Structures are given as C-alpha cells and as structure tokens.
Amino acid sequence: MDIRELYSDLRQIQNREETGKAYDGCGTVEDWDVLVEFFEYVAEKYKDSMSPWAEAFMQVVSWQFQTMYEGAETYYSNEYGDSDYVTITRVTAFLRENGYDEIAEPYGLAAADCEQYQYPKDKMDLLPDDWIETHEQVIWDFYVDILEKHKEDLA
C-alpha cells in the first residue's frame, strides 16, 4: 500500500473518533489493518538500520498485539525473538525521553533479564495485561503521534 493511503486511512479513523489497536484492528473494513500495514512499511523501510522512533513504534505494536493475543508473558519472554531485555530497555528510554511516559512506565516495568521463553515467576505481577486492556486510547494516541511526527521520514 502507498504511504499516502496509509496516512489517509489513519486520518479517517481519527475523524470517526475511533481507537485502533494492534490486535483486532482499526476502524472499518477499508482501514481495519492500517497498523499492520504501517508496521510492514516501517519494517521494510528500516530493514537495514532501524531508527529509534521506528523501533519504538514496532515494539509497542508487537507488545500490544502479543499481550492481547497471547498475554504479556509472550512478549517479555521474547518468544518471537524480537523483544529481548536490551531492546525493551532501549525502547523504554526512548519513550521516556520523548514524552511517552504513560506508556514507558508499564512497558518498562515488566522488563526482566530472562532467557527466551522463561519469564521469571517472581515477577509475574509486573506483567501489564490489564493495563493494555484498559489503556487502548493511550496506546492509539502514541501510534498516531509518532507516525504523524515522522511522516516526512516515511515519505
């Protein structure tokens, strides 16, 4: 899909005052997969060198999707090999440094230096499953904000 079409779909969702999410989609049938399309576009554009903002966008999408689909333990246990401890702490720092504190706190709180597929049992209470379910608007606002701020980068 063309990047202009993606931004058009994003604006349509905003104009309808809807909230999109990485799991279960966004808006109507026409723009349901806009976050997936942005995710794929960003992954392709930055496949050789991921910029910090793009990494943060992609990690938050993965975080929300995996948490809503399988539970946060999947993300924090790095079951898909893209959410290791170093990545999570780097993205947390980016979120804090760029004013996304409301997401940085729950996102970084559950980070644990663990082996793949093994989230520490003594830290299970830190997993943000409930937070993600009750803060869809905050996460959606992050997606819209970061994509709008970096529109020129994606052109």
Side-chain angles (χ1 to χ4, degrees):
M1 182 177 277
D2 179 86
I3 193 67
R4 290 181 305 258
E5 291 176 52
L6 289 176
Y7 277 100
S8 175
D9 288 349
L10 188 66
R11 277 189 290 287
Q12 288 176 30
I13 295 166
Q14 290 175 269
N15 290 341
R16 291 191 307 262
E17 298 181 3
E18 294 174 343
T19 301
K21 47 192 183 260
Y23 183 74
D24 284 343
C26 312
T28 64
V29 173
E30 295 83 32
D31 49 30
W32 180 84
D33 61 350
V34 71
L35 284 176
V36 172
E37 296 281 343
F38 267 112
F39 185 93
E40 291 171 356
Y41 190 92
V42 169
E44 180 63 27
K45 175 128 179 128
Y46 294 101
K47 67 182 174 195
D48 295 326
S49 179
M50 188 70 61
S51 71
W53 80 263
E55 180 180 46
F57 169 75
M58 297 197 53
Q59 287 299 314
V60 172
V61 169
S62 293
W63 176 56
Q64 185 182 40
F65 181 89
Q66 290 177 41
T67 299
M68 294 182 86
Y69 182 64
E70 300 170 302
E73 185 177 359
T74 302
Y75 181 80
Y76 291 101
S77 295
N78 195 22
E79 293 203 21
Y80 294 99
D82 62 355
S83 57
D84 58 58
Y85 178 76
V86 172
T87 301
I88 293 169
T89 54
R90 184 174 55 243
V91 169
T92 301
F94 173 88
L95 293 169
R96 284 190 178 117
E97 290 165 8
N98 289 278
Y100 301 113
D101 297 329
E102 195 169 359
I103 292 175
E105 180 68 25
Y107 176 79
L109 185 64
D113 195 3
C114 59
E115 294 184 32
Q116 194 167 5
Y117 313 120
Q118 296 178 349
Y119 192 80
K121 297 296 178 207
D122 64 330
K123 295 188 178 189
M124 295 297 265
D125 62 316
L126 300 176
L127 293 173
D129 294 84
D130 292 338
W131 188 91
I132 283 188
E133 298 272 338
T134 59
H135 290 81
E136 291 173 0
Q137 186 66 49
V138 171
I139 299 169
W140 174 250
D141 290 345
F142 162 77
Y143 295 145
V144 171
D145 187 63
I146 202 162
L147 289 170
E148 289 293 342
K149 282 181 179 173
H150 298 281
K151 188 175 182 178
E152 296 300 317
D153 298 341
L154 294 176

